[in-house]
């Protein structure tokens, strides 16, 4: 089912107010190895990184 424009707008507003993006630079070969690792464990890189961040801060 397609997301309506109103839903997109509401989601974007919420994200701007409540969410932040973390990032880091790594060598391309390391990024590919990490993506492979995540895939082999049934996760996305985003999920794996988010779980690690939350673990580090005790959530």
């Amino acid at each position: 089912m397609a997301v309506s424009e109103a839903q997109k707008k509401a989601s974007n507003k919420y994200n701007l107010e409540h969410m932040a993006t973390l990032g880091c630079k790594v060598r391309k070969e390391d990024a590919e190895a990490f993506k492979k690792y995540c895939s082999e464990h049934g996760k996305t890189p985003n999920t794996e990184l988010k779980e690690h961040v939350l673990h580090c801060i005790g959530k």
Side-chain angles (χ1 to χ4, degrees), residues 14-32:
Y14 177 87
N15 286 338
L16 282 171
E17 293 174 2
H18 301 283
M19 306 298 276
T21 300
L22 299 176
C24 66
K25 291 185 180 183
V26 296
R27 294 188 177 273
K28 287 183 180 184
E29 59 269 15
D30 295 337
E32 289 304 317

Side-chain angles (χ1 to χ4, degrees), residues 4-17:
S4 72
E5 289 302 315
Q7 288 171 319
K8 288 180 188 177
K9 185 176 178 181
S11 179
N12 287 340
K13 180 180 178 189
Y14 177 87
N15 286 338
L16 282 171
E17 293 174 2

Side-chain angles (χ1 to χ4, degrees), residues 10-55:
S11 179
N12 287 340
K13 180 180 178 189
Y14 177 87
N15 286 338
L16 282 171
E17 293 174 2
H18 301 283
M19 306 298 276
T21 300
L22 299 176
C24 66
K25 291 185 180 183
V26 296
R27 294 188 177 273
K28 287 183 180 184
E29 59 269 15
D30 295 337
E32 289 304 317
F34 182 65
K35 288 177 186 179
K36 182 178 178 187
Y37 168 87
C38 293
S39 179
E40 290 170 351
H41 289 85
K43 296 183 180 181
T44 65
N46 184 74
T47 299
E48 190 69 30
L49 291 169
K50 183 176 178 180
E51 288 177 357
H52 182 69
V53 169
L54 295 177
H55 172 77

